Amino acid sequence: MDHKTRCENCIVRQFNSLRAMTKEELKRVSDSKLMKTVKKGEALFEEGEKLNGVYCVRDGVSKLSKLSANGKDQIVKLATKGEVMGQRSVIVEESANLSAVAVNDMEVCFIPKEAIINTLHSNPDFTYEVLRHMAHHLKEADDVIVNMSQKTVKQRIAEAFLYLKHNYGDDDEGYLLLTLSREDIANVVGTATESCIRIISEFKKKGLLKSSGKKLGIVNEKGLQDLADGF
Amino acid sequence: MDHKTRCENCIVRQFNSLRAMTKEELKRVSDSKLMKTVKKGEALFEEGEKLNGVYCVRDGVSKLSKLSANGKDQIVKLATKGEVMGQRSVIVEESANLSAVAVNDMEVCFIPKEAIINTLHSNPDFTYEVLRHMAHHLKEADDVIVNMSQKTVKQRIAEAFLYLKHNYGDDDEGYLLLTLSREDIANVVGTATESCIRIISEFKKKGLLKSSGKKLGIVNEKGLQDLADGF
DNA sequence: GATTTTATATGATAATTGTCAGTTTTTCGA
DNA sequence: TCGAAAAACTGACAATTATCATATAAAATC
C-alpha cells in the first residue's frame, strides 16, 4: 500500500475538517477507511438512504441533488476534491437528504461513521472545524436561495458559468475543465433543459461563450458578469 | 432582578444549543448577557454588520433577509422563540450575511461572543449541539432551494400558509397567530407583492383561506396541501 | 460501420409571472 | 377625528419561462 493511500499524507485533507484531527485519530480513520472509484453517472448514495459513513473526495466531482415532486432533479451543490459528503446525515443521524452522483470519474474514501462520531465527541477542535465548514455551506445555501428567487434564468446561467470557471478553471484555449451537460446546468439553475440550451445558444451568438464539441468556454467574462449582475 | 432573567432558569434555552452548556458556562453567559426589547419593524442587525455576539429570542419573531441586486428583500428564514440568531457569523468570524428585522414586538437576549467562543473551544458537547442545529438549518435551506426552483409561486404560497399554521398555530376561530404582511409573504416565497396578493385573493375565492381584518386563516388545509403538492 | 440511443437544438405556443398605473382600504399619528 | 401615509387590491399588458413537437448531431453499442 503506497503512501498516497494514508490519510496522514493525503493532500486533500488540507481542504477539509480532517486536518483538525490528532495523529491518533487520523490513524484510526486511515485504518478503517475504504478507497473506492466511482464511474461517471454512478451514485455514491441516494436520497433517503441511511449512511454508515462519509465520503471524502480525492478526485472528480459529484453533484448533490434532490428529486422534486414534478420529477426533476434539483442540483443543490457540486462537491469537489477535498470536500466531505454525507457529513450532515451522519451528524444528525438522519437518512440522506440528497443524492450524490458522480459527474465524472471519481476517487473517494469512505470513512465509517464511528471514526467520525467518536472524534466529534472528544476533540473540540475537530468539532469546531466541522462546524466552521457547515457554517460556510449554510451561507452558500442562503445565497443560492436569494439568487434562485431574485434572479432571472439568464442571470443564473451566466453565474453558473462564472462559477464553473472560478472553481474548476479552464484550459489554455479557454475551455472549462469541468464540462456539465446542458441538462445538469439546467438542474443547477433550476430551469427547463430547453430554456437552458436556448440561453446558451444566445450567449454564443452574443460572443459571451464559445463551444468546441462538448466543451464550453467563456469568451467575455466581464460581459457575463454584467449580465449576472443585472446590467 | 427576578429569576426569569437568569439563563439558568430560562425555558427558551431548552430549544437551543445553550442547553448543552455546563452550569458555570451558563452562569458566565447569564452574567454577560443583555436583555433587549425590539419593536416591530426595528432591526436587530443588518447585513454586512460585524456582530459582537448572538441574539437569543425569548419572544416574538424575526425575519432574516438579504437584499438582492434588484432591490428586493428575500426572506431566507423566520426565527422564533428559542432560536439563536447570528451564530453563523460569530462562528466563522465574518460579518452578517443576513439582516434581522422584528416581525412583531420581540424580547431578545444579546450574548457577547466571548461567552460563546470560549465554550465552543472547550466544551465538545456544546459545540456538537451547535453543529446539530446548524446541520438542521442546512437541510432546511437545501429544501428551500429545491422548492424555490421547482415549485410555482402558487405552490410556494400554499406551502407558506401551511408552514405558518404548523409553526405558529392558529386561534380558536382558525386565524393564524402570526400575521405577515402580503409584502413579507411575497418576500418569503420570492415573488412580486402584487402576484402574492392576487393569489391570496384567488385562494379566498376558492375557499382555501379566509380573512378578517388583517388576520388570515386556513379554511381547507387539505386543499392547500394538495395544491402545494402539485395536484 | 450501421444502427440505436442520447444529447443538443429550434420553432410554435401556452402558461406563468412581473411591471406599471391607478383605486380602495386600513392604519396611525398629529 | 381628521388627514396623510402605508398597505391591500385590481386591471391591462409585457416579459419570462415552460411545454410540446420535431429536427439534427453526437455518442454509444453491437
Side-chain angles (χ1 to χ4, degrees):
Chain A
M1 194 177 276
D2 84 53
H3 72 282
K4 276 168 60 187
T5 64
R6 294 296 305 176
C7 298
E8 293 91 323
N9 303 310
C10 183
I11 334 172
V12 155
R13 184 169 56 89
Q14 291 309 318
F15 304 123
N16 66 42
S17 22
L18 294 185
R19 67 175 176 175
M21 280 192 170
T22 64
K23 280 214 156 55
E24 294 75 42
E25 285 161 349
L26 207 53
K27 185 175 183 311
R28 206 177 327 141
V29 166
S30 199
D31 289 343
S32 63
K33 78 160 196 294
L34 214 68
M35 265 185 67
K36 288 186 180 183
T37 59
V38 186
K39 290 224 189 69
K40 177 177 173 175
E42 283 180 6
L44 282 97
F45 53 84
E46 303 269 7
E47 178 183 348
E49 199 178 300
K50 267 256 179 284
L51 299 187
N52 297 314
V54 300
Y55 295 86
C56 179
V57 182
R58 280 171 61 91
D59 203 21
V61 178
S62 170
K63 55 183 175 185
L64 289 158
S65 66
K66 183 163 182 167
L67 211 63
S68 70
N70 62 33
K72 276 196 190 162
D73 231 25
Q74 175 65 36
I75 297 178
V76 171
K77 185 176 163 33
L78 295 174
T80 327
K81 186 192 284 194
E83 289 197 70
V84 179
M85 294 189 291
Q87 280 189 90
R88 207 203 58 79
S89 309
V90 165
I91 289 165
V92 297
E93 295 166 284
E94 283 173 0
S95 47
N97 189 40
L98 305 169
S99 298
V101 173
V103 167
N104 44 32
D105 292 349
M106 298 183 75
E107 219 174 300
V108 301
C109 289
F110 174 78
I111 305 172
K113 63 178 170 189
E114 293 74 25
I116 301 288
I117 298 271
N118 286 341
T119 308
L120 276 177
H121 281 107
S122 56
N123 179 349
D125 286 346
F126 175 67
T127 316
Y128 191 54
E129 197 58 31
V130 175
L131 181 56
R132 287 173 57 94
H133 277 87
M134 187 91 50
H136 179 70
H137 288 150
L138 182 57
K139 175 183 147 74
E140 283 183 337
D142 284 348
D143 290 346
V144 170
I145 292 173
V146 176
N147 280 341
M148 280 292 178
S149 54
Q150 303 288 357
K151 295 200 169 180
T152 65
V153 173
K154 212 173 282 189
Q155 290 178 296
R156 268 140 54 201
I157 290 181
E159 279 204 329
F161 279 102
L162 294 168
Y163 173 88
L164 289 175
K165 172 161 179 173
H166 295 149
N167 286 274
Y168 301 99
D170 44 12
D171 63 22
D172 43 7
E173 293 177 68
Y175 290 104
L176 293 170
L177 292 179
L178 180 64
T179 303
L180 293 180
S181 70
R182 311 297 151 106
E183 189 181 1
D184 277 345
I185 298 173
N187 290 344
V188 166
V189 305
T191 189
T193 307
E194 297 95 320
S195 301
C196 180
I197 288 173
R198 239 181 278 270
I199 290 171
I200 289 175
S201 301
E202 186 191 324
F203 284 180
K204 284 196 281 188
K205 283 201 195 94
K206 284 187 181 162
L208 298 168
L209 297 178
K210 64 181 175 183
S211 68
S212 162
K214 275 194 79 83
K215 287 183 165 302
L216 280 164
I218 292 178
V219 177
N220 180 355
E221 182 165 345
K222 170 123 184 19
L224 271 186
Q225 186 66 62
D226 285 349
L227 216 154
D229 293 340
F231 298 122
Chain B
M1 195 175 275
D2 82 55
H3 72 281
K4 276 166 62 187
T5 64
R6 294 295 305 175
C7 297
E8 293 90 323
N9 303 310
C10 183
I11 333 173
V12 156
R13 185 169 55 90
Q14 293 309 318
F15 303 123
N16 65 40
S17 23
L18 295 185
R19 66 176 176 174
M21 281 191 169
T22 64
K23 280 217 157 52
E24 294 76 39
E25 287 161 348
L26 206 54
K27 185 175 183 313
R28 206 175 331 139
V29 165
S30 199
D31 288 343
S32 61
K33 79 162 198 294
L34 214 68
M35 265 185 68
K36 288 185 181 183
T37 59
V38 185
K39 290 224 190 70
K40 176 178 175 174
E42 283 180 5
L44 282 97
F45 53 84
E46 303 270 7
E47 178 183 347
E49 196 178 302
K50 268 258 178 283
L51 299 188
N52 296 315
V54 299
Y55 294 86
C56 178
V57 181
R58 280 171 60 92
D59 204 21
V61 178
S62 170
K63 53 182 175 185
L64 289 157
S65 67
K66 183 163 181 166
L67 211 63
S68 71
N70 61 33
K72 275 195 189 162
D73 230 26
Q74 175 64 36
I75 297 179
V76 170
K77 186 176 162 32
L78 295 174
T80 326
K81 185 192 284 194
E83 289 196 70
V84 179
M85 295 189 290
Q87 279 189 91
R88 208 203 58 80
S89 309
V90 165
I91 289 166
V92 297
E93 294 166 282
E94 284 173 1
S95 48
N97 190 39
L98 305 169
S99 299
V101 173
V103 168
N104 45 32
D105 291 349
M106 298 183 74
E107 219 174 303
V108 302
C109 290
F110 174 78
I111 305 172
K113 62 179 171 190
E114 292 74 25
I116 301 288
I117 297 271
N118 287 340
T119 309
L120 276 177
H121 281 107
S122 56
N123 179 350
D125 286 348
F126 176 67
T127 316
Y128 190 55
E129 196 59 29
V130 175
L131 181 57
R132 287 173 57 93
H133 276 86
M134 187 92 48
H136 180 69
H137 289 149
L138 182 57
K139 174 182 147 74
E140 283 184 336
D142 285 347
D143 289 347
V144 170
I145 291 173
V146 176
N147 279 341
M148 280 293 178
S149 53
Q150 304 288 358
K151 296 200 169 179
T152 65
V153 173
K154 213 174 280 190
Q155 288 178 299
R156 270 140 53 203
I157 291 181
E159 278 203 329
F161 279 104
L162 294 169
Y163 173 87
L164 289 175
K165 172 161 177 174
H166 295 149
N167 285 274
Y168 301 98
D170 45 12
D171 62 22
D172 43 6
E173 291 177 72
Y175 291 103
L176 294 170
L177 292 179
L178 180 64
T179 303
L180 294 180
S181 71
R182 310 297 152 105
E183 189 180 2
D184 278 343
I185 298 173
N187 291 344
V188 166
V189 303
T191 190
T193 308
E194 297 94 322
S195 301
C196 181
I197 288 174
R198 241 181 275 272
I199 290 172
I200 290 176
S201 300
E202 186 191 323
F203 284 179
K204 284 195 282 187
K205 282 200 196 92
K206 284 187 179 162
L208 298 168
L209 297 178
K210 64 180 174 182
S211 68
S212 161
K214 275 194 79 81
K215 288 184 166 300
L216 280 163
I218 292 179
V219 178
N220 180 356
E221 182 164 345
K222 170 125 186 15
L224 270 186
Q225 187 66 62
D226 285 349
L227 216 154
D229 293 340
F231 297 121

